[in-house]
C-alpha cells in the first residue's frame, strides 16, 4: 500500500517569511495529492490539491509542486501570517482508490 | 459549497453505554463518506468507508461490531460506538466526497468523545 512521509514535524517561521513542507510517497500509481490545514479542535480543511498531470499549482499565497520522478510533493506558503499557524497534512491516493493516505503532519507556527 | 457537519461536537458518556455521531453533507449528495479517528498530536486514521445503501467497509483492525456505521441517505452517515470504554475516547472525524469520481474529500468539524 501507499506510504507517505512528511517533513518537518514542526516548523517555526517569522511572520512574512515563507514556509515549505515536504512529502514523499511510495506508490508510483498515486496521482492525487491534497493538502489539509487543521486548526486546534477542528476538522481538516482542504487548502489545495494537485493531480499528477501537472507539476505546480498556485492559489494566492499557497502553492504545491509535484515531482513524479522523485515521488515527492511540497507545500509552499509565502508571506506567512499568524493565521497560517496550524497543523498541515499531506495525503496521496492512486486513481480508482477512494482512500487517502495521510502524512504524519507538520505543526507550523508563525512568529509575530 | 462542500460543507460537512457533525453532531454532536463533543460528547461525554459513561463506560458501557453507546453513543451515536451524525455526519451530514449540507450542500451536496455524498455517495461515499469516510470515518476517521485521530489521537492527540497524531495523524488521521481511517476507520471505515461508508457507501450509501450498502454495508460499510472497515479497515483492518477496526471492530465492525463496536463501531456501527449506517449510511441510509445521500446526505447522512452515522457512527455508533457501542459499549464504549475509556480507550474509545478520541476525536472522530467524517469526510465526504462530492460525487462519483470526485477526488476531493471534505471533512466535518469532528466530534470529541470522552468515555468516563
Amino acid at each position: 500500500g501507499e506510504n507517505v512521509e512528511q517533513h518537518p514535524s514542526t516548523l517555526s517561521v517569522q511572520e512574512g517569511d515563507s514556509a515549505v513542507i515536504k512529502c514523499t510517497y511510495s506508490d508510483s500509481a498515486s496521482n492525487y495529492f491534497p493538502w489539509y490545514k487543521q486548526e486546534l479542535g477542528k476538522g481538516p480543511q482542504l487548502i489545495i490539491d494537485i493531480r499528477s498531470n501537472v507539476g505546480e499549482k498556485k492559489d494566492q499565497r499557497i502553492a504545491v509542486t509535484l515531482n513524479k520522478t522523485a515521488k515527492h510533493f511540497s507545500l509552499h506558503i509565502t508571506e506567512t501570517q499568524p493565521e497560517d499557524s496550524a497543523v498541515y497534512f499531506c495525503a496521496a491516493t492512486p486513481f480508482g482508490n477512494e482512500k487517502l493516505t495521510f502524512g504524519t503532519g507538520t505543526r507550523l507556527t508563525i512568529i509575530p | 459549497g462542500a460543507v460537512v457537519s457533525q453532531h454532536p461536537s463533543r460528547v461525554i458518556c459513561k463506560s458501557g453505554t453507546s453513543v451515536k455521531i451524525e455526519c451530514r453533507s449540507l450542500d451536496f449528495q455524498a455517495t461515499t463518506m469516510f470515518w476517521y479517528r485521530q489521537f492527540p498530536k497524531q495523524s488521521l486514521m481511517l476507520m471505515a468507508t461508508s457507501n450509501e445503501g450498502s454495508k460499510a467497509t472497515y479497515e483492518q483492525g477496526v471492530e465492525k461490531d463496536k463501531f456501527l456505521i449506517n449510511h441510509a441517505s445521500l446526505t447522512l452517515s452515522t457512527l455508533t460506538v457501542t459499549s464504549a470504554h475509556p480507550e474509545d475516547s478520541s476525536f472522530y472525524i467524517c469526510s465526504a466526497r462530492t460525487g462519483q469520481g470526485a477526488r476531493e474529500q471534505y471533512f466535518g468539524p469532528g466530534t470529541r468523545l470522552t468515555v468516563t
Side-chain angles (χ1 to χ4, degrees):
Chain A
E2 176 64 278
N3 182 52
V4 178
E5 294 187 357
Q6 183 171 345
H7 299 281
S9 57
T10 60
L11 178 62
S12 294
V13 173
Q14 207 72 35
E15 182 179 354
D17 288 350
S18 296
V20 180
I21 302 171
K22 299 180 180 181
C23 289
T24 59
Y25 60 99
S26 62
D27 189 346
S28 57
S30 285
N31 65 351
Y32 176 64
F33 308 92
W35 283 90
Y36 288 88
K37 174 184 180 182
Q38 186 177 28
E39 298 177 349
L40 190 62
K42 298 184 179 180
Q45 174 193 3
L46 178 64
I47 57 172
I48 196 167
D49 58 11
I50 192 167
R51 287 158 172 77
S52 60
N53 57 344
V54 296
E56 183 174 359
K57 183 176 178 180
K58 191 173 181 180
D59 182 4
Q60 299 182 344
R61 297 186 297 109
I62 295 173
V64 56
T65 58
L66 171 65
N67 183 325
K68 287 188 296 182
T69 303
K71 289 192 281 189
H72 66 69
F73 56 112
S74 300
L75 177 71
H76 305 253
I77 306 174
T78 59
E79 301 173 17
T80 53
Q81 302 169 1
E83 52 265 36
D84 294 330
S85 293
V87 178
Y88 291 80
F89 291 98
C90 63
T93 186
F95 180 78
N97 190 333
E98 302 174 305
K99 305 177 196 177
L100 293 174
T101 299
F102 284 89
T104 49
T106 296
R107 182 172 300 277
L108 174 64
T109 302
I110 307 302
I111 305 167
Chain B
V3 178
V4 178
S5 71
Q6 275 183 249
H7 179 80
S9 58
R10 54 178 63 232
V11 57
I12 301 172
C13 71
K14 293 190 175 181
S15 190
T17 62
S18 296
V19 61
K20 179 185 287 188
I21 302 170
E22 293 185 348
C23 176
R24 293 182 185 273
S25 56
L26 297 186
D27 52 0
F28 65 97
Q29 294 184 330
T31 55
T32 304
M33 290 183 171
F34 304 86
W35 287 96
Y36 293 83
R37 185 173 180 176
Q38 187 177 36
F39 291 105
K41 298 188 178 182
Q42 292 191 22
S43 190
L44 292 88
M45 183 190 79
L46 179 65
M47 299 174 65
T49 303
S50 167
N51 289 294
E52 186 266 337
S54 63
K55 291 184 178 180
T57 302
Y58 291 81
E59 294 300 299
Q60 192 172 8
V62 178
E63 298 175 62
K64 60 181 180 182
D65 294 331
K66 179 166 188 61
F67 299 99
L68 301 179
I69 292 172
N70 185 285
H71 192 160
S73 78
L74 287 172
T75 60
L76 173 64
S77 176
T78 60
L79 168 68
T80 301
V81 182
T82 62
S83 187
H85 290 107
E87 55 265 32
D88 298 325
S89 298
S90 191
F91 193 51
Y92 292 88
I93 319 172
C94 70
S95 71
R97 294 195 310 169
T98 53
Q100 290 279 8
R103 307 304 297 279
E104 299 85 355
Q105 282 189 32
Y106 295 92
F107 284 80
T111 296
R112 172 76 57 195
L113 170 64
T114 303
V115 184
T116 61

